[in-house]
C-alpha cells in the first residue's frame, strides 16, 4: 500500500518533464518552419524538403539500436549531458545553414543526437516514477511530448509570419538551452555508470542492441505508428483537398487536447487493471477516427475524427512504451527503450513512404480505410502475440 501511495510529482520528476517539454517544443517548431525556410529563402523544392525530413529520421533510426550500448558504456548521466550539449549545438548550427548542402548535413547529425537524447530521457525519468505508478508516470512524461507537438508548431507558425527564420530559430535555441539548464538540475540515483569496464564484453551480440523481451510490443508500436504516419505526414494536403485548410490548425489543437484529456485517467486504469483495459479501447478509437477521416465532408466530421484519433493514439502510445519498459529487467531499460523507439520510428518512416505512394495511386479515402483496417488488425496481434507472452 505504501508503494502505491509513493509520491509521483517530485522535484526530480518535474525537472525531467520540463527538460523534455522544451526539447520537443523546439523540435516540433523547427520541423514546422523548416519547409518554409527551404522553399522561400533557400530556393529549394518539395523533394528537397522531404529529403531534409528523411535525413533526420534516417540518422535517428540508424543510431537507435546502439544507444543501449552507449548508455551502458558511459552511464545515464554522461549520456544525457553529452547528448544534450550536442543537440543544443546543432540547434544553434541552423543559424549557419545558408545553403541546402549545409542544412542537409546539419539535419543528419542533429537526428543522431536527437535520437540519443530522447532515448536516454526515458530511463532517466523512470528512476523517479514509483514502481506501481509506472503507467501514470509515463503517461505524463509522454504528455510532455504531446504538449510540445502542439506548442511547437503553434509558436513556429505564429511567429514565422512576422519574424525572419533567423529570429524564430534564435528563440527556439533559447528554449533548447532552458531545457539544458533543467537537465543539469536533475539528481541521479545510483552509480554514474551502469556497468564496470571490466564487465564489458569484447564481442557484441544481439542482446547488445536489442531487448528481445520487448520485441512483441515494439512490433505493435510499429504497426500503430505506420497508421499514425497518415496523420503526421499527410493530414495537411488531405484537408486542402477537402477545402478545409483554414481549419488545419484547429484539427491539431483538438487532436492534442483529446490526446491529453484522458492521459491521467488511462494511466491510473493501466496501473490498477492492466494494459489491455486501455489498449483495446484506444486502438478501437484510433481505427474509428481513421475510418471517419476517410468519409468526412463537413467541419464537424473533421473535428470528431480529430477527437477519436487523439483519444485513441494519445492513449495507446504511452501504454505501449510503459509495457515495453515493464517487460525488461531494470538494468535493461535503456535497451528496451531503444528497441521500442527503433521500431516506432521505422513505422513512421515506412508508413510515410508507402502511404504517400498509396495516395498517389489510389486516394486519401482508400488510404485512411487501409490504415483503419491495419489498426484493427493490431488488436488481434496484441491479443494473440503480446498478451500471449506476459511479462
Amino acid at each position: 500500500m505504501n508503494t502505491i501511495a509513493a509520491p509521483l510529482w517530485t522535484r526530480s520528476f518535474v525537472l525531467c518533464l520540463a527538460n523534455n517539454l522544451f526539447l520537443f517544443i523546439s523540435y516540433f517548431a523547427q520541423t514546422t518552419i523548416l519547409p518554409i525556410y527551404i522553399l522561400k529563402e533557400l530556393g529549394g523544392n518539395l523533394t528537397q524538403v522531404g529529403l531534409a525530413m528523411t535525413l533526420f529520421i534516417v540518422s535517428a533510426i540508424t543510431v537507435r539500436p546502439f544507444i543501449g550500448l552507449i548508455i551502458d558504456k558511459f552511464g545515464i548521466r554522461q549520456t544525457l549531458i553529452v547528448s544534450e550539449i550536442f543537440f543544443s549545438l546543432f540547434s544553434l548550427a541552423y543559424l549557419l545553414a545558408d545553403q541546402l548542402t549545409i542544412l542537409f548535413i546539419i539535419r543528419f547529425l542533429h537526428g543522431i543526437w536527437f535520437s540519443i537524447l530522447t532515448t536516454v530521457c526515458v530511463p532517466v525519468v523512470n528512476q523517479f516514477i514509483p514502481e506501481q505508478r509506472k503507467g501514470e508516470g509515463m503517461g505524463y512524461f509522454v504528455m510532455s511530448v504531446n504538449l510540445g507537438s502542439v506548442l511547437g508548431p503553434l509558436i513556429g507558425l505564429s511567429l514565422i509570419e512576422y519574424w525572419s527564420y533567423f529570429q524564430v530559430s534564435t528563440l527556439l535555441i533559447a528554449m533548447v538551452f532552458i531545457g539544458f539548464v533543467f537537465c543539469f538540475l536533475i539528481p541521479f540515483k545510483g552509480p554514474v555508470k551502469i556497468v564496470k569496464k571490466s564487465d564489458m564484453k569484447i564481442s557484441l551480440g544481439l542482446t547488445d542492441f536489442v531487448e528481445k523481451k520487448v520485441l512483441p510490443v515494439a512490433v505493435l508500436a510499429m504497426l500503430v505508428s505506420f497508421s499514425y504516419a497518415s496523420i503526421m505526414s499527410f493530414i495537411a494536403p488531405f484537408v486542402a483537398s477537402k477545402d478545409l485548410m483554414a481549419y488545419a490548425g484547429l484539427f491539431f489543437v483538438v487532436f492534442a487536447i483529446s490526446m491529453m484529456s484522458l492521459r491521467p485517467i488511462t494511466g491510473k486504469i493501466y496501473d490498477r487493471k492492466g494494459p489491455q483495459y486501455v489498449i483495446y479501447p484506444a486502438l478501437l478509437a484510433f481505427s474509428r477516427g481513421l475510418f471517419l477521416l476517410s468519409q468526412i465532408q463537413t467541419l464537424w466530421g473533421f473535428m470528431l475524427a480529430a477527437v477519436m484519433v487523439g483519444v485513441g493514439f494519445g492513449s495507446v502510445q504511452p501504454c505501449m512504451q510503459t509495457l515495453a519498459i515493464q517487460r525488461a529487467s531494470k538494468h535493461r531499460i535503456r535497451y528496451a527503450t531503444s528497441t521500442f523507439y527503433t521500431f516506432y520510428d521505422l513505422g513512421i518512416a515506412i508508413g510515410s513512404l508507402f502511404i504517400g505512394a498509396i495516395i498517389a495511386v489510389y486516394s486519401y479515402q482508400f488510404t485512411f480505410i487501409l490504415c483503419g483496417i491495419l489498426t484493427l488488425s493490431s488488436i488481434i496481434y496484441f491479443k494473440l502475440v503480446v498478451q500471449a507472452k506476459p511479462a
Side-chain angles (χ1 to χ4, degrees):
M1 190 69 181
N2 291 334
T3 306
I4 296 175
L8 174 64
W9 291 97
T10 60
R11 176 176 175 270
S12 303
F13 182 67
V14 172
L15 285 171
C16 290
L17 263 60
N19 175 48
N20 210 48
L21 175 62
F22 279 94
L23 161 67
F24 277 98
I25 286 176
S26 64
Y27 164 69
F28 282 110
Q30 185 65 254
T31 302
T32 304
I33 65 172
L34 196 61
I36 299 172
Y37 177 62
I38 292 172
L39 294 172
K40 291 188 176 181
E41 298 190 37
L42 296 183
N45 54 42
L46 287 173
T47 302
Q48 290 165 327
V49 169
L51 180 59
M53 302 303 164
T54 302
L55 285 171
F56 191 95
I57 296 174
V58 166
S59 63
I61 292 174
T62 302
V63 77
R64 286 274 190 211
F66 301 93
I67 298 175
L69 200 61
I70 291 170
I71 297 173
D72 255 356
K73 185 169 179 62
F74 298 103
I76 290 179
R77 187 175 187 275
Q78 287 92 329
T79 305
L80 176 68
I81 291 174
V82 170
S83 60
E84 190 98 41
I85 288 172
F86 277 97
F87 180 84
S88 302
L89 289 176
F90 280 109
S91 297
L92 188 62
Y94 282 92
L95 299 180
L96 307 175
D98 57 354
Q99 296 177 20
L100 281 169
T101 304
I102 296 173
L103 180 62
F104 291 153
I105 294 171
I106 292 171
R107 288 292 290 173
F108 184 83
L109 296 175
H110 199 199
I112 292 173
W113 294 105
F114 173 80
S115 181
I116 297 173
L117 178 56
T118 52
T119 303
V120 74
C121 280
V122 176
V124 169
V125 73
N126 189 67
Q127 296 182 70
F128 307 111
I129 302 175
E131 194 61 38
Q132 293 192 24
R133 299 186 71 176
K134 291 296 183 189
E136 185 182 359
M138 287 306 300
Y140 284 118
F141 182 72
V142 176
M143 187 188 289
S144 67
V145 179
N146 299 148
L147 196 55
S149 72
V150 179
L151 294 178
L154 187 62
I155 292 170
L157 291 175
S158 298
L159 294 180
I160 201 68
E161 287 189 52
Y162 309 101
W163 293 10
S164 68
Y165 173 79
F166 185 91
Q167 290 172 318
V168 179
S169 290
T170 302
L171 176 63
L172 299 181
I173 290 162
M175 290 184 176
V176 171
F177 278 94
I178 291 172
F180 191 24
V181 172
F182 288 128
C183 160
F184 270 105
L185 296 175
I186 298 171
F188 287 82
K189 297 181 179 180
V192 174
K193 284 204 173 189
I194 303 297
V195 293
K196 297 178 181 178
K197 261 188 177 180
S198 58
D199 294 334
M200 295 295 292
K201 297 183 293 182
I202 297 175
S203 59
L204 298 177
L206 181 63
T207 55
D208 294 296
F209 303 100
V210 174
E211 175 52 63
K212 290 188 286 186
K213 293 178 182 178
V214 174
L215 284 176
V217 183
V219 172
L220 175 66
M222 184 172 67
L223 293 173
V224 174
S225 65
F226 182 99
S227 295
Y228 180 61
S230 65
I231 304 295
M232 191 178 77
S233 301
F234 299 101
I235 196 68
F238 169 66
V239 296
S241 71
K242 294 288 184 179
D243 294 324
L244 294 170
M245 194 61 193
Y247 303 101
L250 182 60
F251 176 90
F252 283 107
V253 171
V254 173
F255 173 69
I257 291 172
S258 302
M259 274 202 296
M260 293 183 285
S261 61
L262 292 181
R263 190 62 53 78
I265 301 171
T266 55
K268 290 178 181 178
I269 293 173
Y270 181 103
D271 289 328
R272 293 171 183 173
K273 292 195 170 185
Q276 67 273 19
Y277 285 90
V278 178
I279 290 177
Y280 282 132
L283 289 174
L284 283 171
F286 185 24
S287 62
R288 178 63 175 164
L290 291 167
F291 287 131
L292 277 173
L293 276 175
S294 71
Q295 304 298 321
I296 64 159
Q297 300 296 333
T298 65
L299 176 61
W300 288 109
F302 189 44
M303 292 300 104
L304 180 58
V307 171
M308 298 301 291
V309 172
V311 167
F313 181 78
S315 298
V316 77
Q317 184 195 14
C319 286
M320 292 187 300
Q321 186 171 334
T322 305
L323 189 58
I325 290 172
Q326 289 182 322
R327 292 209 162 191
S329 306
K330 284 189 177 181
H331 70 283
R332 297 281 300 178
I333 286 176
R334 56 237 180 245
Y335 292 97
T337 304
S338 64
T339 301
F340 177 86
Y341 275 125
T342 297
F343 278 76
Y344 181 85
D345 289 343
L346 275 172
I348 294 287
I350 297 170
S352 297
L353 182 65
F354 278 89
I355 288 170
I358 294 168
I359 291 171
V361 176
Y362 296 100
S363 65
Y364 285 106
Q365 181 181 18
F366 176 85
T367 303
F368 284 125
I369 290 173
L370 189 65
C371 289
I373 293 171
L374 178 64
T375 303
L376 282 177
S377 68
S378 67
I379 296 175
I380 301 171
Y381 175 85
F382 175 74
K383 173 68 176 177
L384 298 181
V385 179
V386 178
Q387 283 195 297
K389 294 182 179 180

